[in-house]
DNA sequence: AGCTCGACCTGCACGC
DNA sequence: TGCGTGCAGGTCGAGC
């Protein structure tokens, strides 16, 4: 689930649950996530209030009153659920999830359970355990190993044709790989790279450098920027509703209502309609790429 | 300095 | 029904 739009949606759900509340207790499953937890993980969380929640790329950041930051990444299969006593439910707004905090967090893949003030419980569930939890002093967050090489936020001002022009110049790497590179644009994943390339009519196999061959930014880079922005914005809209639905169904329904134009649609007609192409699946740097060979050049 | 690819995990859908 | 295979929304870090 987690590319930028999903992480952004999770952030919006976590805010009303976490901001202003104190972490009263921490329970871990005993299994490590992608990396070992940092030293004294539990005691560095316990007793501290969450001041503010942020997102950077696909990382969720909880700024603590202790001047440390809790860094969280959902990996491939990470999920958060918020549970609460009836009394706290009304504070959690539209992202309020599930009633009853008492037995939540006992599932086989529930690896981190945070008991917050007001009877709110946050459970991090992650079957594949590719997720990350780390702690870092706020003042050195930018120098953190996981943070320091992250590129521009695609929804911010940093993403523009000039930026891509500079980043693509001389690169003999396919567009697909370059757009997945978090050092250039932060937050795109396999699905939205496929979708953005389709919308902008660019082939995932095209070498990035071919779009930066002239002195001035190529018009196609402008189109790519607009496509990336539009796709992410739409997905954040839809992601919100999918998450609400997912949770409303008590975790049983994981179905995506969202219809992708190309992702996971091999052999179907290209939705662009007039091009008459069929969606193909190829493998690039070990991962599936879906695209229309007719209208993506 | 840059790039590709293996490794980290579990679950699920598929074909035999 | 059971088993083997391949695939999955990410990305670090080893090795060229």
């Amino acid at each position: 689930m987690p590319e930028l739009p999903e992480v952004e949606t999770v952030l919006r759900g976590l805010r009303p649950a976490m901001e202003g509340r104190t972490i009263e207790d921490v329970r871990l499953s005993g299994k490590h996530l992608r990396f070992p937890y940092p030293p004294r993980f539990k005691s560095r969380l316990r007793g501290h209030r969450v001041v503010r929640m942020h997102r950077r790329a696909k990382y969720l950041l909880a700024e603590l009153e202790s001047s440390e930051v809790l860094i969280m990444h959902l990996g491939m299969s990470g999920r958060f659920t918020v549970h609460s006593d009836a009394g706290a439910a009304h504070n959690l707004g539209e992202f309020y999830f599930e009633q009853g905090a008492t037995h939540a967090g006992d599932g086989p893949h529930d690896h981190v359970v945070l008991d917050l003030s007001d009877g709110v419980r946050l459970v991090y569930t992650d079957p594949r355990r590719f997720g990350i939890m780390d702690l870092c002093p706020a003042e050195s967050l930018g120098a953190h190993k996981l943070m320091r090489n992250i590129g521009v936020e695609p929804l911010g001002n940093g993403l523009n044709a000039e930026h891509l022009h500079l980043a693509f110049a001389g690169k003999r790497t396919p567009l697909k790989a370059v757009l997945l590179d978090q050092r250039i644009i932060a937050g795109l994943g396999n699905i939205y790279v496929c979708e953005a390339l389709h919308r902008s009519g660019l082939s995932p196999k095209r070498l990035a450098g071919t779009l930066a061959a002239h002195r001035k930014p190529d018009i196609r880079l402008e189109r790519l920027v607009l496509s990336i922005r539009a796709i992410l914005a739409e997905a954040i809209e839809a992601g919100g509703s999918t998450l609400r639905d997912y949770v409303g169904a008590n975790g049983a329904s994981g179905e995506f209502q969202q219809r992708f134009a190309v992702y996971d649609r091999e052999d179907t007609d290209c939705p662009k309609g007039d091009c008459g192409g069929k969606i193909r699946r190829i493998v690039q740097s070990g991962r599936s790429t879906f695209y229309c060979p007719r209208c993506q050049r």
Side-chain angles (χ1 to χ4, degrees), chain A residues 230-248:
Chain A
I231 292 276
L232 293 180
E234 288 163 26
I236 288 172
E237 286 275 297
S241 53
T242 14
L243 187 63
R244 277 194 290 278
D245 291 351
Y246 173 82
V247 168

Side-chain angles (χ1 to χ4, degrees), chain A residues 63-132:
Chain A
E63 191 186 313
L64 306 178
E65 211 164 31
S66 61
S67 296
E68 289 212 284
V69 177
L70 171 60
I71 301 169
M72 301 172 279
H73 194 290
L74 301 171
M76 294 277 262
S77 57
R79 285 178 169 73
F80 279 103
T81 44
V82 177
H83 311 257
S84 79
D85 296 343
H90 68 280
N91 286 329
L92 299 176
E94 63 174 325
F95 287 96
Y96 162 65
F97 298 146
E98 297 176 22
Q99 290 254 357
T102 336
H103 299 290
D106 295 327
H109 304 300
D110 296 339
H111 298 300
V112 181
V113 179
L114 300 181
D115 279 324
L116 309 175
S117 38
D118 305 330
V120 173
R121 172 172 286 182
L122 192 66
V123 179
Y124 177 68
T125 308
D126 188 353
R128 294 178 73 178
R129 293 191 280 128
F130 288 171
I132 296 168

Side-chain angles (χ1 to χ4, degrees), chain A residues 101-180:
Chain A
T102 336
H103 299 290
D106 295 327
H109 304 300
D110 296 339
H111 298 300
V112 181
V113 179
L114 300 181
D115 279 324
L116 309 175
S117 38
D118 305 330
V120 173
R121 172 172 286 182
L122 192 66
V123 179
Y124 177 68
T125 308
D126 188 353
R128 294 178 73 178
R129 293 191 280 128
F130 288 171
I132 296 168
M133 295 258 176
D134 200 3
L135 278 165
C136 174
E139 75 264 18
S140 54
L141 184 67
H144 189 281
K145 184 178 47 148
L146 301 171
M147 299 282 129
R148 67 183 172 214
N149 290 322
I150 292 178
V152 298
E153 286 289 330
L155 295 175
N157 296 330
L159 177 63
N160 52 51
E162 289 77 28
H163 174 76
L164 293 187
H165 182 75
L166 286 175
F168 288 8
K171 271 214 170 12
R172 304 195 40 79
T173 314
L175 280 179
K176 171 73 186 305
V178 166
L179 293 181
L180 278 176

